[in-house]
């Protein structure tokens, strides 16, 4: 019950932030949309705030109150608390609760740097050169800021767990709601949009159905699926500023999504809505994009960590110790090598540099990583083939209603964008969890083309309706299997563990590390930092590293 109430509170908080900045009608889809918008706005507020303060319980609670008062100032009580909205809030909260209840946290990344960085945000304002202590802090997501600011005096530190259940739940239910809306249309159905929603729901039910998977890598994939759905729903009526707004947020989740910026600028060429090209939303998103880059420079000395060419080497906190594991090129090499199956190689001769710059990695990658990807996508393709056979076969019957405004070249253009993104993914970081949306969207768009001439008669409408309902039943049933483990007791039961991954979720032991006889940070005794004390690392720092305070800001420098 506690999880449900906390989820409902945070969902409502995100909703009123989104609602206070728009005038959308009250319905299920728009409620979901407002939660997404509110979470994005709150993430940006958290990012800006951390330049001046730690995101502690007191600060977050004050932000919570201020934004609630602002929302009631902008909107009336009746709009925020009407019966329809309350029912929607309960449904979303129940679905999200089922996802998070007795789930595991994302392993090992949540323990390596997600939770430790959230703890750092809760305790400290921005620290210059923090990647010299923990190199993974340079690869954090904007989601960590949303998680950090979601802690308050009501949810306490459990609040940080909720964004990872709320956002996937909202996007999934948004898709289901939109399928329902399309099928209930009395005049026309946007066939391309309907098929897109349907095929995406099938994949999310198949392979994106567990809270333990929702780390920094999966959230932006959900957001990419959501962004493309908006292109299909609103067609040329969607403005550049709206597309750009979501694109920036996706990029701030993971810099590997840089190619997603192609989409908003392509839409300009395709004569999408250009009114107010440089409006408040465009400036708002651009401001936070610049702010994120400034944050990166202050944390690491690089605009995009760990890309060496983006670094400003003259900065005192830029790591100049080439023998250190925190040196940017070393971090980049290790990260890319692991993505290219470095631990799975049989030939142990040669350096990391020669491995990632040559072609040997392809052979190694094909033996393990490729098999996993082919197996997952192979099953999904088979499912879509079977469904397509039924859709095409059923199309021999009378046409009821259909409206498809999309030309083939538009779909091919999108396939080309995601094919290019997939090529970049393969050459630089070919791990399945980093390339899901690109690969899956190529498949989905291809099958939309294959099914472009189907007839949406009663049989096909029923097929889509009942299979979508079946997907919801499957994802709920799979997550409710965890309820059988309710009797297993551990610290902070039944929330996901964040103190440790031990059976009892016990807090871990840490060692204090000093620099020049002053306390610097904590180090684990071979384990993961988790949500313990901050700053925390499991890495050995450079012997050349120094520390000072300047204008009340902590600086790790050389």
């Amino acid at each position: 019950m506690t999880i449900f109430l906390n989820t409902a509170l945070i969902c409502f908080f995100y909703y009123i932030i989104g609602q206070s900045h728009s005038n959308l009608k009250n319905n299920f889809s728009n409620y979901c949309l407002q939660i997404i918008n509110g979470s994005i706005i709150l993430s940006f507020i958290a990012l800006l705030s951390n330049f001046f303060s730690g995101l502690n319980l007191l600060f977050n609670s004050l932000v919570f109150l201020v934004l609630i008062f602002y929302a009631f100032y902008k909107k009336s009580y009746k709009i925020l608390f009407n019966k329809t909205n309350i029912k929607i809030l309960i449904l979303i909260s129940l679905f999200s609760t089922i996802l998070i209840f007795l789930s595991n946290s994302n392993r090992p990344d949540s323990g390596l740097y997600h939770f430790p960085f959230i703890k750092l945000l809760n305790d400290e304002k921005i620290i210059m050169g923090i990647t010299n202590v923990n190199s993974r802090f340079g690869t954090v997501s904007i989601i960590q800021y949303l998680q950090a600011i979601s802690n308050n005096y009501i949810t306490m530190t459990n609040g940080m767990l909720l964004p990872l259940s709320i956002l996937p739940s909202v996007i999934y239910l948004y898709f289901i709601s939109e399928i329902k809306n399309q099928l209930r249309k009395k005049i026309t159905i946007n066939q391309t949009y309907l098929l897109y929603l349907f095929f995406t729901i099938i994949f999310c039910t198949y392979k994106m159905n567990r809270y333990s998977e929702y780390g920094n890598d999966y959230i932006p994939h959900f957001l990419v699926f959501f962004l493309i759905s908006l292109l299909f729903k609103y067609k040329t009526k969607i403005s550049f500023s709206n597309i750009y707004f979501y694109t920036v947020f996706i990029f701030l989740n993971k810099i590997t999504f840089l190619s997603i910026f192609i989409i908003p600028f392509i839409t300009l060429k395709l004569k999408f809505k250009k009114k107010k090209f440089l409006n408040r939303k465009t400036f708002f998103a651009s401001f936070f994009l610049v702010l994120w880059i400034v944050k990166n420079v202050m944390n690491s000395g690089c605009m995009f960590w760990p890309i060496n060419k983006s670094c400003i080497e003259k900065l005192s906190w830029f790591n100049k110790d080439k023998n250190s594991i925190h040196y940017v090129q070393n971090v980049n090499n290790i990260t890319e090598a692991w993505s290219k199956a470095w631990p799975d190689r049989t030939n142990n001769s040669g350096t990391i540099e020669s491995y990632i710059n040559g072609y040997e990695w392809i052979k190694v990658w094909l033996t393990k990583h490729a098999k996993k990807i082919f197996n997952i996508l192979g099953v999904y393709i088979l499912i879509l083939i079977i469904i397509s056979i039924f859709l095409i076969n059923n199309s021999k019957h009378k046409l009821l209603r259909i409206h498809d405004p999309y030309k083939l070249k538009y779909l091919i253009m999108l396939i080309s964008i995601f094919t290019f993104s997939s090529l970049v993914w393969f050459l630089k970081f070919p791990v399945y969890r980093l390339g899901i949306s690109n690969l899956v969207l190529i498949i989905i768009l291809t099958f939309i083309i294959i099914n472009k001439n189907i007839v949406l008669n009663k049989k096909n409408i029923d097929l889509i309706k009942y299979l979508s309902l079946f997907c919801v039943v499957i994802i709920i049933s799979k997550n409710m299997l965890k309820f059988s483990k309710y009797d297993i007791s551990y610290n902070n039961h039944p929330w996901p563990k964040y103190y440790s991954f031990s059976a009892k979720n016990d807090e871990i032991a840490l060692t204090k590390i000093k620099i020049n006889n002053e306390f610097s940070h904590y180090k684990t005794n071979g384990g993961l930092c988790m949500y313990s004390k901050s700053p925390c690392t499991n890495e050995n720092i450079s012997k050349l590293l120094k520390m000072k305070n300047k204008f009340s800001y902590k600086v790790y420098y050389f």
Side-chain angles (χ1 to χ4, degrees):
M1 191 64 177
T2 303
I3 294 180
F4 171 76
L5 293 176
N6 285 342
T7 300
L9 175 68
I10 296 300
C11 275
F12 180 70
F13 185 42
Y14 293 169
Y15 166 72
I16 62 173
I17 296 173
Q19 175 68 9
S20 62
H21 291 83
S22 70
N23 294 299
L24 295 176
K25 295 180 180 178
N26 285 328
N27 59 49
F28 196 100
S29 295
N30 287 342
Y31 198 99
C32 293
L33 186 62
Q34 303 292 29
I35 291 177
I36 295 170
N37 290 343
S39 66
I40 295 174
I41 293 170
L42 187 60
S43 300
F44 290 160
I45 291 173
L47 172 63
L48 177 62
S49 299
N50 190 240
F51 278 84
F52 310 102
S53 171
L55 306 179
N56 53 58
L57 294 179
L58 175 60
F59 179 86
N60 295 348
S61 299
L62 290 175
V63 170
F64 191 101
L65 290 174
V66 169
L67 291 176
I68 285 180
F69 283 127
Y70 176 73
F72 282 111
Y73 170 75
K74 293 281 288 186
K75 302 288 180 178
S76 71
Y77 176 88
K78 292 181 180 180
I79 292 176
L80 298 175
F81 287 101
N82 65 60
K83 290 182 179 180
T84 301
N85 282 352
I86 292 174
K87 289 178 182 178
I88 295 171
L89 176 63
I90 291 173
L91 183 58
I92 292 173
S93 300
L94 279 172
F95 191 88
S96 181
T97 299
I98 291 172
L99 277 183
I100 194 174
F101 190 83
L102 287 172
S103 291
N104 293 315
S105 300
N106 182 254
R107 298 191 184 192
D109 287 354
S110 63
L112 274 173
Y113 69 99
H114 299 175
F115 290 145
F117 192 76
I118 294 170
K119 178 62 174 174
L120 183 69
L121 293 176
N122 289 151
D123 292 344
E124 305 274 356
K125 59 184 175 183
I126 192 167
I127 297 176
M128 286 179 270
I130 190 61
T131 54
N132 294 314
V133 173
N134 190 326
S135 63
R136 294 180 178 88
F137 285 171
T139 58
V140 294
S141 163
I142 189 69
I143 286 295
Q144 267 76 72
Y145 287 82
L146 178 62
Q147 291 179 273
I149 203 170
S150 295
N151 289 339
N152 54 67
Y153 281 129
I154 299 176
T155 64
M156 301 305 287
T157 52
N158 289 324
M160 68 178 178
L161 301 171
L162 296 173
L164 297 185
S165 62
I166 291 173
L167 285 177
S169 296
V170 165
I171 293 173
Y172 188 91
L173 293 175
Y174 173 84
F175 280 19
I176 292 295
S177 174
E178 285 297 286
I179 289 174
K180 179 182 176 182
N181 292 341
Q182 286 295 312
L183 295 180
R184 291 178 63 182
K185 284 191 174 182
K186 296 180 180 180
I187 302 175
T188 59
I189 292 178
N190 182 337
Q191 179 175 302
T192 300
Y193 181 45
L194 177 61
L195 289 176
Y196 173 79
L197 295 168
F198 180 48
F199 293 157
T200 305
I201 278 295
I202 289 172
F203 182 79
C204 291
T205 305
Y206 165 51
K207 286 307 294 181
M208 300 176 73
N209 53 44
R210 294 182 302 169
Y211 178 87
S212 60
E213 299 171 328
Y214 302 156
N216 288 0
D217 302 324
Y218 270 44
I219 296 299
H221 294 304
F222 274 106
L223 291 167
V224 170
F225 291 146
F226 170 72
L227 174 62
I228 301 304
S229 76
L230 296 181
L231 297 181
F232 286 135
K233 179 180 180 179
Y234 294 106
K235 303 180 281 294
T236 56
K237 294 180 181 179
I238 189 169
S239 66
F240 168 86
S241 60
N242 283 326
I243 301 173
Y244 181 70
F245 176 73
Y246 294 116
T247 299
V248 168
F249 187 66
I250 290 170
F251 175 71
L252 298 192
N253 274 268
K254 209 79 175 175
I255 65 169
T256 53
F257 284 83
L258 178 62
S259 59
I260 199 71
F261 279 106
I262 297 174
I263 291 177
F265 292 101
I266 283 291
T267 57
L268 288 177
K269 186 176 180 181
L270 294 177
K271 298 181 180 180
F272 276 57
K273 188 177 179 181
K274 298 182 182 180
K275 186 179 179 181
K276 295 183 179 179
F277 168 69
L278 295 177
N279 59 18
R280 286 190 301 173
K281 184 171 282 188
T282 305
F283 282 114
F284 179 80
S286 297
F287 172 73
F288 282 99
L289 176 60
V290 172
L291 198 65
W292 183 261
I293 294 173
V294 172
K295 184 273 301 181
N296 289 343
V297 172
M298 292 180 71
N299 280 166
S300 66
C302 304
M303 291 186 287
F304 305 107
W305 179 265
I307 301 174
N308 195 25
K309 292 182 179 179
S310 72
C311 299
I312 306 172
E313 298 184 12
K314 292 182 180 180
L315 294 173
S316 64
W317 59 87
F318 174 78
N319 194 312
K320 300 171 179 64
D321 182 2
K322 295 184 178 181
N323 295 318
S324 169
I325 60 172
H326 302 94
Y327 183 67
V328 61
Q329 193 58 52
N330 294 337
V331 174
N332 181 74
N333 289 344
I334 292 171
T335 303
E336 186 173 343
W338 276 76
S339 298
K340 293 179 175 178
W342 170 260
D344 301 318
R345 73 196 191 285
T346 55
N347 181 9
N348 294 326
S349 63
T351 63
I352 283 184
E353 290 84 355
S354 62
Y355 179 80
I356 61 178
N357 292 324
Y359 299 100
E360 178 191 350
W361 69 267
I362 297 177
K363 185 185 295 184
V364 180
W365 181 84
L366 287 171
T367 61
K368 187 175 180 180
H369 288 242
K371 286 183 179 180
K372 176 183 177 180
I373 295 170
F374 293 152
N375 288 338
I376 292 172
L377 297 184
V379 172
Y380 179 57
I381 290 171
L382 180 61
I383 292 171
L384 294 192
I385 288 174
I386 294 172
I387 291 174
S388 296
I389 291 172
F390 278 98
L391 290 173
I392 294 171
N393 186 59
N394 290 339
S395 295
K396 298 176 182 178
H397 302 279
K398 184 180 178 182
L399 171 66
L400 289 185
R401 49 189 184 268
I402 180 172
H403 176 63
D404 190 6
Y406 294 96
K407 295 180 180 180
L408 184 61
K409 66 178 182 180
Y410 180 67
L411 296 171
I412 292 175
M413 179 206 69
L414 288 175
I415 291 175
S416 300
I417 292 173
F418 291 110
T419 299
F420 170 76
S421 299
S422 296
L423 180 62
V424 175
W425 162 81
F426 176 73
L427 294 175
K428 296 301 294 181
F429 33 85
V431 179
Y432 167 74
R433 58 189 169 84
L434 297 179
I436 301 171
S437 55
N438 292 327
L439 299 172
V440 170
L441 282 169
I442 292 171
I443 295 170
I444 289 174
L445 295 170
T446 301
F447 273 89
I448 288 175
I449 293 174
I450 292 172
N451 290 278
K452 193 166 179 61
N453 294 320
I454 66 164
V455 173
L456 287 177
N457 51 36
K458 189 177 186 305
K459 283 190 175 183
N460 280 337
I461 288 175
D462 286 343
L463 177 66
I464 294 172
K465 178 170 65 177
Y466 291 119
L467 281 181
S468 298
L469 180 61
F470 180 68
C471 285
V472 176
V473 172
I474 288 294
I475 198 169
I476 291 176
S477 300
K478 182 172 181 178
N479 279 279
M480 289 188 71
L481 292 175
K482 300 172 297 185
F483 288 29
S484 62
K485 301 178 182 179
Y486 184 77
D487 293 335
I488 300 176
S489 179
Y490 57 84
N491 184 20
N492 203 37
H493 176 275
W495 292 86
K497 299 174 183 177
Y498 54 81
Y499 294 119
S500 71
F501 286 135
S502 65
K504 294 296 182 180
N505 192 28
D506 297 319
E507 294 188 17
I508 61 172
L510 298 170
T511 301
K512 286 186 176 181
I513 303 298
K514 295 182 178 181
I515 296 178
N516 296 332
N517 294 320
E518 291 186 24
F519 170 73
S520 168
H521 60 279
Y522 294 93
K523 187 177 184 297
T524 64
N525 299 319
L528 305 176
C529 284
M530 304 296 290
Y531 190 83
S532 51
K533 297 178 180 179
S534 68
C536 181
T537 185
N538 63 342
E539 303 167 342
N540 293 319
I541 63 171
S542 169
K543 294 180 180 179
L544 304 177
L545 187 63
K546 300 176 183 179
M547 183 184 68
K548 65 180 178 181
N549 283 288
K550 190 171 184 178
F551 305 115
S552 78
Y553 287 89
K554 184 182 288 186
V555 183
Y556 290 100
Y557 69 102
F558 288 83

